[in-house]
Amino acid sequence: MDAYKSEVRDGMIVEWDVPIQMDDGLVLRADIFRPKKKGKYPAILTYGPYGKGLAFQEGYKTAWESMEKNNPDVLAGSSNLYQSWEVVDPEKWVPDGYACIRIDSRGAGRSPGFMDHNNARETKDIHLCIEWAAKQAWSNSNIGMNGISYFASNQWRAAASKPKHLKAICVWEGWNDAYRESHRHGGIACTFRKNWMEIQVKTVQHGVGDNGKRSRVTGETVCGPVTLSKEELAKNVENIWQRVLDQEMNCDWYAERTADLSKVTVPLLSAANWGGQGLHGRGNMEGFVRSASKNKWMEVHGDSHWAPFYTDYGRLLQKKFFDYFLKGKKNGWNKTPPITLQVRSPGEKFVKRHENEWPLARTVWTKLHLDTASMSFLQDPVKEQQSVTYDTTGDGVTFAFPPQKQDVEITGPIALKIFVSSKTNDADIFAVVRVFDPDNKEVTFQGAMDPHTPIAQGWLRASHRKLDKKKSLPYRPWHQHDEKQPLVPGEVYQLDVEIWPTCIVVPKGYSIALTIRGKDYEYDGEAGFLSNTKNPLRGCGPFLHDDETDRPPAVFNTDVTLHMGPKHQAYLLLPVIPKKK
């Protein structure tokens, strides 16, 4: 294979475009940052599609500016020349005795090949890259994986493939279930993937060459030395969005992109975001609970999707974990409680608290029965038959508690049981848990991607209501998504809606509410904006469900009726947390 460039700069040995040959002959390209001092070092490895040579500041301008303004500790102590989206800053890891390996995934950046995200070929590539890294002269043979989102999600699959030298993973806001968490929420297609491909991925596809960005460090083209035509580029990438539209039900395509968590046995740190509705939350919690690892920890934070990873808080947490498992440092990590929660209160306030299990053992599972007479909740079941109808193109219906008489903490997964009828043969349910202040102004948070994220959200297509009774839990229904069961217009059906886990301390005088609607939640205020998203941010970030091919108006623009009464006990199940004694 051809030579690559090696140089010493900013206190590191940096090797550009190191070739890593796969078993099918294709050569991937990696940048490696490692200590100048001779020795054997552990490595932090990442593999992904965003172009290893693209500067964070250029590719994700508004995200960088937000971090620069709100998290100055991220920029301190680094030239920030080597900052790249969702991976570690080598200038803050190499001095502590780590090698940092950034690999452009097959078909992305400076790695040639056919781009097909999260498939079995990609998982095998990562497996082979890990074993390659372990054999390098500078390696102590202990490889860890660390990174956000894409660079986190593929860790579940890589770990399940059991590479011998993968010794620890830090999955920072990374989904696992390709169907339920990434492509189809409750069976409803999420358009994020369509826009993500066009804005974040195809712009750094291998072969964009001279039509793309250049590395501000090397001056080389981020997307490889060749420049291909639009037609050639199109032939080199899988049309993921068309796959999602063509495959409404769960199938082998999604299964191939979902790790078998029972095979994940490596030590792991799973870091989730309370505001990660739509991609960056459920997978971390399910991964923690359902993985087979004997050494596993979970941390849950708030704030943006990217910043906490780079802050001193995030970096020192990651480093303590990796120091223990990759270096064998006796730093007390093994005495760290299994769960670290940043408990959330209005005003972007967080208090760190340790716990021992998830969901919390002391949870008081509280049923709030939906009552249309008061459009509120009752502690006891509704005794008389009731109903309320809403237009799915409007704002839906909202049930709200009177103001709380004392502080109430809600932390954990949420479930909603409702009974519905539709004028058509289907209906999409969007369930939003909300909090309002004493002036009846809604409390929202800086979510993973949206500055005005509600407390919690869940989704379900009524024709996907079939449950897996073995996997379902009272607080977390599990839908099979293997059989479409159309509705008979006017008939009543039971729906069990999974609402993704959350955390909120509802202060005295504030009220809890539930909105059930037929389309995505929208914040009633000024929209936010990120340069790497297509749509204005109105509460759901880029995780919208607005494709008319998947949601034809003739079916989903309809009237839906909610039914309550002795035979239809509709309720919201909340995880209320009593104070520790």
Side-chain angles (χ1 to χ4, degrees):
M1 286 183 284
D2 56 331
Y4 53 89
K5 182 180 179 181
S6 179
E7 60 181 333
V8 176
R9 54 184 304 148
D10 295 310
M12 305 177 289
I13 294 175
V14 185
E15 297 167 320
W16 306 105
D17 275 350
V18 177
I20 309 177
Q21 186 168 322
M22 298 294 97
D23 58 340
D24 62 353
L26 185 129
V27 176
L28 300 175
R29 295 290 174 172
D31 292 342
I32 302 176
F33 306 82
R34 56 188 178 87
K36 288 193 300 180
K37 184 179 178 181
K38 284 189 177 181
K40 301 282 188 178
Y41 300 101
I44 301 298
L45 183 146
T46 53
Y47 173 109
Y50 297 136
K52 59 183 174 57
L54 180 64
F56 191 138
Q57 299 91 321
E58 293 182 22
Y60 299 85
K61 185 175 183 291
T62 52
W64 177 265
E65 290 171 349
S66 170
M67 191 164 63
E68 189 175 31
K69 176 183 177 181
N70 299 316
N71 309 95
D73 55 323
V74 172
L75 280 68
S78 173
S79 72
N80 297 299
L81 269 176
Y82 312 97
Q83 291 275 23
S84 192
W85 179 246
E86 297 187 336
V87 298
V88 301
D89 177 3
E91 287 188 273
K92 291 192 176 183
W93 285 78
V94 172
D96 288 337
Y98 284 93
C100 298
I101 305 174
R102 294 177 177 172
I103 306 164
D104 276 339
S105 59
R106 188 175 287 242
R110 295 183 68 84
S111 292
F114 184 78
M115 182 188 284
D116 190 357
H117 298 292
N118 308 137
N119 66 347
R121 177 66 254 182
E122 177 173 290
T123 299
K124 191 170 186 179
D125 284 351
I126 301 170
H127 184 116
L128 293 171
C129 287
I130 290 167
E131 296 307 294
W132 173 90
K135 295 175 183 177
Q136 300 311 298
W138 47 260
S139 174
N140 74 352
S141 298
N142 293 336
I143 311 301
M145 294 186 71
N146 188 21
I148 313 173
S149 195
Y150 199 103
F151 299 101
S153 173
N154 58 26
Q155 294 179 44
W156 298 119
R157 295 185 294 279
S161 76
K162 295 189 177 297
K164 180 181 177 181
H165 294 96
L166 180 63
K167 299 299 175 64
I169 59 175
C170 176
V171 185
W172 199 279
E173 300 192 31
W175 75 96
N176 172 58
D177 191 318
Y179 188 92
R180 295 170 180 82
E181 295 158 8
S182 179
H183 295 100
R184 284 189 167 272
H185 302 132
I188 310 169
C190 177
T191 55
F192 168 70
R193 285 291 169 206
K194 175 174 66 174
N195 299 327
W196 170 79
M197 284 293 296
E198 297 301 322
I199 295 172
Q200 289 185 241
V201 178
K202 289 184 179 180
T203 51
V204 287
Q205 184 182 351
H206 182 80
V208 171
D210 289 329
N211 293 324
K213 300 280 189 179
R214 287 183 176 269
S215 166
R216 61 177 183 165
V217 181
T218 67
E220 298 287 344
T221 48
V222 168
C223 303
V226 298
T227 303
L228 303 178
S229 67
K230 289 183 179 180
E231 292 74 21
E232 289 172 306
L233 288 170
K235 290 178 181 178
N236 285 341
V237 61
E238 175 66 65
N239 188 340
I240 289 178
W241 179 243
Q242 193 59 50
R243 286 277 199 168
V244 173
L245 290 178
D246 291 344
Q247 299 170 146
E248 180 179 340
M249 312 311 294
N250 206 349
C251 62
D252 290 345
W253 189 82
Y254 298 105
E256 180 182 337
R257 290 156 176 80
T258 301
D260 181 348
L261 292 170
S262 70
K263 294 180 179 179
V264 176
T265 57
V266 69
L268 68 89
L269 171 59
S270 179
N273 192 319
W274 296 125
Q277 301 153 26
L279 191 62
H280 304 116
R282 180 189 190 272
N284 283 98
M285 296 171 188
E286 289 290 331
F288 170 78
V289 171
R290 294 170 49 222
S291 62
S293 300
K294 293 180 180 178
N295 296 299
K296 57 183 179 179
W297 290 263
M298 184 172 79
E299 185 271 352
V300 194
H301 52 268
D303 208 324
S304 70
H305 167 53
W306 56 92
F309 177 83
Y310 295 96
T311 60
D312 289 346
Y313 165 79
R315 178 174 50 84
L316 293 175
L317 180 72
Q318 299 155 31
K319 203 166 284 184
K320 187 175 182 181
F321 168 73
F322 283 119
D323 279 352
Y324 185 82
F325 286 107
L326 301 188
K327 293 184 176 182
K329 272 192 177 182
K330 295 181 179 179
N331 58 10
W333 175 267
N334 56 316
K335 297 179 182 178
T336 303
I339 309 288
T340 299
L341 304 180
Q342 296 290 342
V343 179
R344 183 170 66 169
S345 294
E348 306 292 343
K349 297 175 183 176
F350 297 89
V351 176
K352 184 165 73 173
R353 189 177 74 211
H354 293 302
E355 299 287 351
N356 293 312
E357 69 288 306
W358 185 262
L360 308 189
R362 68 182 185 281
T363 302
V364 178
W365 296 103
T366 304
K367 289 183 180 180
L368 302 182
H369 296 267
L370 277 58
D371 175 43
T372 61
S374 62
M375 293 309 293
S376 185
F377 303 104
L378 300 177
Q379 300 285 2
D380 299 318
V382 174
K383 295 180 180 179
E384 296 182 357
Q385 193 63 33
Q386 305 176 351
S387 67
V388 60
T389 299
Y390 64 91
D391 177 352
T392 59
T393 65
D395 294 332
V397 291
T398 297
F399 300 84
F401 244 171
Q404 296 296 302
K405 295 181 180 180
Q406 60 184 14
D407 292 358
V408 176
E409 180 185 336
I410 299 168
T411 297
I414 300 173
L416 172 66
K417 186 182 291 291
I418 52 176
F419 297 82
V420 308
S421 60
S422 172
K423 279 192 173 182
T424 65
N425 66 358
D426 214 339
D428 283 346
I429 302 298
F430 294 76
V432 189
V433 179
R434 308 166 73 183
V435 168
F436 291 86
D437 71 12
D439 295 324
N440 206 34
K441 182 180 179 182
E442 185 173 10
V443 175
T444 58
F445 287 88
Q446 170 61 60
M449 299 291 281
D450 196 296
H452 297 291
T453 302
I455 303 308
Q457 295 186 76
W459 311 263
L460 182 63
R461 177 157 291 174
S463 59
H464 286 238
R465 64 191 176 277
K466 180 182 175 184
L467 292 172
D468 184 322
K469 294 183 179 179
K470 290 184 178 180
K471 288 187 176 180
S472 289
L473 299 166
Y475 53 79
R476 199 267 286 123
W478 189 281
H479 299 90
Q480 292 187 338
H481 299 293
D482 64 350
E483 176 188 5
K484 195 172 178 71
Q485 299 178 329
L487 311 183
V488 174
E491 288 199 10
V492 180
Y493 298 87
Q494 176 181 316
L495 304 182
D496 294 273
V497 184
E498 176 186 5
I499 298 176
W500 286 19
T502 191
C503 173
I504 174 66
V505 176
V506 183
K508 178 182 178 181
Y510 286 56
S511 58
I512 302 167
L514 167 72
T515 296
I516 301 173
R517 49 194 284 142
K519 60 180 182 178
D520 287 305
Y521 165 88
E522 286 191 12
Y523 170 69
D524 185 18
E526 186 177 350
F529 171 75
L530 279 174
S531 58
N532 58 300
T533 59
K534 179 180 179 179
N535 56 283
L537 307 179
R538 299 187 181 279
C540 295
F543 308 111
L544 299 178
H545 309 80
D546 55 1
D547 185 86
E548 290 194 354
T549 303
D550 181 67
R551 304 187 69 230
V555 175
F556 293 100
N557 291 0
T558 183
D559 287 342
V560 169
T561 301
L562 305 177
H563 301 265
M564 299 86 172
K567 294 182 180 179
H568 303 127
Q569 291 300 334
Y571 61 82
L572 181 70
L573 183 66
L574 287 181
V576 176
I577 309 300
K579 292 182 179 180
K580 283 185 174 181
K581 295 181 179 179

